[in-house]
Amino acid sequence: MATADRALCEFAAKLTRHNDEVAVSDLDVLREQGFEDRAIHDAVQVIGYFNYINRIAHGLGVEPEGWIWPWGRD
């Protein structure tokens, strides 16, 4: 995995699991990897949306569609 991809994934995990700990320094790490502010903004929007919609689905007991395979399945 490319360094920039890894940095973005680590940021997504932190925003998801420890959003209250995200700081400007986390954004600076992404900038150092070549992400512009617009790309960071878009990433935060997508990460936030997926977190939101998954919490809604889990909160309402929505079952995944039968045709969706779990991650890692061939």
Side-chain angles (χ1 to χ4, degrees):
M1 178 182 293
T3 306
D5 293 338
R6 183 173 305 281
L8 184 57
C9 287
E10 289 173 0
F11 175 77
K14 186 172 185 178
L15 185 59
T16 298
R17 296 183 180 136
H18 306 286
N19 62 312
D20 58 328
E21 297 175 9
V22 172
V24 173
S25 59
D26 296 303
L27 304 179
D28 290 337
V29 169
L30 295 176
R31 290 182 183 114
E32 290 168 7
Q33 291 300 318
F35 291 98
E36 296 181 359
D37 286 349
R38 175 64 188 256
I40 294 169
H41 171 270
D42 292 351
V44 169
Q45 291 287 337
V46 171
I47 295 161
Y49 175 75
F50 273 89
N51 287 331
Y52 166 77
I53 204 66
N54 280 318
R55 281 170 177 77
I56 296 295
H58 290 150
L60 296 175
V62 175
E63 294 292 327
E65 299 289 337
W67 55 269
I68 299 175
W69 293 359
W71 287 105
R73 182 176 168 187
D74 293 333

